[in-house]
Amino acid sequence: MSSQSVLGRAVTHELASDHELRLLETEPIEGPPGSQVMIGDLLQAGTLPAAVAGVEAVIHTAELPLTPPADDAAKLDWYTRGTYDLMMAAVEAGVKRFIYCGTLHLFDTYPEDTYITEYHEPFPPPCGERMWRYLGEITVREFVRDHAITGTSLRLGTLVAEDEASSDALDHSWLDPRDAARAVGAALARDSSDIHNWVRRWQIHHVCAKPPNPRFLIQPEIQQGFEHTFAAAWAARGVGE
Amino acid sequence: MKRVVVFGASGHIGPFITPGLAQQYELTLTDVAPHPDGHDSDIVDIRDYDAVQRACQGQDAVLNLGVVRHDPVLSWEVNTRGVENISRSVVEHGIKRVLHTGPQMVRLWFDHQFRVDDVPLMPGTAHYNLTKFLGMEIARAYAREYGIDTVWFLFNELGPKPQEQQEEGVHPPFTLVWEDLVSACRLALEVQDLPDHFQWFNLNSYLEHGKYPVHKARRILGYEVGEHVERYFRRPVD
């Protein structure tokens, strides 16, 4: 879903060589060789069953499509009702794995000296993208509770290519889109849909690079294979040397 | 006298509880439909931010009874986005007290247990429950950010108090009579120091099965069941 965003492009690039991809977009696009492109939108529920028919997994990047919703009210609908209709289509099609891309910015209000893990309560601001993404994540969670499907929310940090990261704006949640895509690829391997206890079907993982003196304590297996540490940007400010 | 604007005042809840609040509060009734009893009511669609914002002007508190239960599109627009519109309007007008209502969200998971109070809500994927739950999350964030005391009452099977002794009756958990909801609303409109500026309460008028007590509502609001419904359903014995 939304494969033309920075994240979407990184994910499709990461997966294209060993997965059969179907890309859903609001406008015609050119996908990687061998991929299938379908025109549709989360706010057009009728387009979703065909988009998910026959697939083993759905990746919802939660990035807005090329033709985005017109205003904030419509964006709220897109993240909530749209995610609901996508999940419903996936469940009805027998999809076993669903990956949702949330955000680490649910924790921006915590004091700087707090170590943040998946155990911490999210505090999204009342409105805007962070709240909308959070509501989408809850929607996925409730489907996992009710249905035999594996759900993973990857709460991604600030997406920026390592060579574009500015030392003037250090960010403890920096994440190179290529590493984000690796995390998505790794999440695809998990299928717990035959486990009756829904708590084990639903997982949340925080995802970002590991800076010096990290604020987000990421599970080591999540960062396995990551290639972008942003060390140069941190070192430019004398951190981590 | 506090001024309270009521959204959804003409539906399945409003006409039965607003008369009980009218003596204590100056009510402005609003809905997309005219009031069934012919009371003055403004036409306001809570999907329309401008209309909601205008209705909140000059008010001290908001009582949101608006709901669409099962429609796959309208439920989102009313139950989720409607709360967003109300919350923004409340901030704009500096209102510090908001009450909402919604369905209980625990029965699917705890109906085989007893003495279950104050457990995490588990809305599931029915449109009614999930859209209301997401509305709660929006309201919770506004409450936290702006210090708006926000209360959600959760229940099922809202109806009249029995008037006479009856021999049989099955009452699902969260059966609530109108009088108890009126009482709870009064308490919520007056309560001081609401923890975290946001609380939800399971309400119940029938407690005999010992399944879902109302300890939290009692502890924080001082809520008490007015007249226990179970008293009207006693099996005759010699």
Side-chain angles (χ1 to χ4, degrees), chain B residues 4-197:
Chain B
V4 181
V5 59
V6 183
F7 295 109
S10 303
H12 296 302
I13 304 174
F16 305 104
I17 71 162
T18 51
L21 297 171
Q23 292 178 336
Q24 198 171 341
Y25 302 101
E26 183 180 327
L27 302 181
T28 299
L29 307 183
T30 78
D31 204 308
V32 289
H35 196 281
D37 301 329
H39 294 311
D40 285 344
S41 176
D42 297 332
I43 299 299
V44 174
D45 185 340
I46 63 172
R47 296 176 299 168
D48 178 350
Y49 170 72
D50 292 334
V52 172
Q53 190 269 127
R54 283 193 299 272
C56 286
Q57 191 165 15
Q59 301 292 333
D60 299 307
V62 170
L63 173 56
N64 174 30
L65 307 174
V67 59
V68 169
R69 289 178 173 79
H70 306 301
D71 186 283
V73 176
L74 281 178
S75 60
W76 297 93
E77 295 179 350
V78 171
N79 302 344
T80 305
R81 195 187 339 140
V83 173
E84 162 77 12
N85 288 338
I86 289 170
S87 301
R88 284 172 58 202
S89 302
V90 160
V91 170
E92 183 154 332
H93 291 289
I95 296 170
K96 291 296 185 185
R97 182 72 51 140
V98 184
L99 279 56
H100 298 271
T101 57
Q104 62 75 27
M105 300 185 195
V106 297
R107 281 200 56 195
L108 278 175
W109 300 91
F110 295 102
D111 254 16
H112 301 299
Q113 293 165 269
F114 295 90
R115 309 288 164 193
V116 180
D117 189 30
D118 199 11
V119 294
L121 301 178
M122 301 179 185
T125 51
H127 279 105
Y128 180 23
N129 281 31
L130 183 55
T131 56
K132 278 284 185 180
F133 184 77
L134 296 186
M136 286 179 72
E137 289 296 321
I138 292 171
R140 183 201 301 266
Y142 273 93
R144 180 173 62 239
E145 182 82 10
Y146 297 101
I148 303 163
D149 285 338
T150 303
V151 167
W152 283 73
F153 290 127
L154 308 177
F155 50 83
N156 267 351
E157 308 285 340
L158 182 68
K161 185 175 65 177
Q163 297 299 314
E164 57 187 16
Q165 198 70 25
Q166 299 177 40
E167 287 194 3
E168 296 182 1
V170 175
H171 296 89
F174 302 106
T175 293
L176 185 68
V177 300
W178 296 323
E179 291 82 354
D180 284 342
L181 182 54
V182 171
S183 165
C185 286
R186 285 186 186 136
L187 292 164
L189 284 166
E190 303 299 331
V191 67
Q192 303 295 312
D193 302 322
L194 190 71
D196 301 325
H197 295 293

Side-chain angles (χ1 to χ4, degrees), chain A residues 172-240:
Chain A
H172 282 89
S173 77
W174 270 336
L175 175 63
D176 190 286
R178 290 162 287 188
D179 283 341
R182 288 187 181 91
V184 170
L188 274 177
R190 188 173 74 91
D191 181 2
S192 304
S193 52
D194 60 344
I195 296 178
H196 290 182
N197 185 340
W198 82 275
V199 172
R200 298 179 65 188
R201 295 197 303 272
W202 172 240
Q203 288 188 359
I204 293 173
H205 296 296
H206 291 180
V207 186
C208 67
K210 186 177 183 181
N213 187 21
R215 169 172 164 78
F216 295 94
L217 302 183
I218 307 299
Q219 300 167 37
E221 61 269 28
I222 295 297
Q223 292 170 324
Q224 201 163 25
F226 279 18
E227 297 179 351
H228 304 280
T229 62
F230 299 86
W234 289 97
R237 296 290 293 273
V239 181

Side-chain angles (χ1 to χ4, degrees), chain A residues 13-105:
Chain A
H13 180 77
E14 171 74 15
L15 301 180
S17 62
D18 52 357
H19 294 79
E20 292 180 35
L21 298 181
R22 182 181 297 162
L23 313 180
L24 180 69
E25 253 303 345
T26 50
E27 301 171 24
I29 57 170
E30 188 170 341
S35 64
Q36 181 184 5
V37 175
M38 298 193 73
I39 305 300
D41 184 45
L42 299 195
L43 288 179
Q44 297 172 13
T47 66
L48 301 176
V52 299
V55 305
E56 295 173 68
V58 172
I59 300 167
H60 183 5
T61 62
E63 298 282 329
L64 292 174
L66 287 176
T67 305
D71 54 26
D72 282 358
K75 288 174 184 170
L76 171 61
D77 276 348
W78 190 89
Y79 275 97
T80 55
R81 174 162 59 88
T83 299
Y84 183 97
D85 288 339
L86 176 61
M87 281 289 324
M88 182 61 81
V91 164
E92 290 180 345
V95 174
K96 296 297 184 188
R97 285 166 282 185
F98 193 99
I99 296 167
Y100 181 82
C101 294
T103 175
L104 275 183
H105 291 286

Side-chain angles (χ1 to χ4, degrees), chain A residues 144-175:
Chain A
V144 176
R145 192 199 300 275
D146 273 4
H147 299 277
I149 187 168
T150 304
T152 306
S153 177
L154 301 174
R155 291 177 177 160
L156 307 180
T158 302
L159 290 171
V160 58
E162 182 176 18
D163 54 357
E164 296 174 5
S166 168
S167 59
D168 293 333
L170 296 174
D171 186 332
H172 282 89
S173 77
W174 270 336
L175 175 63

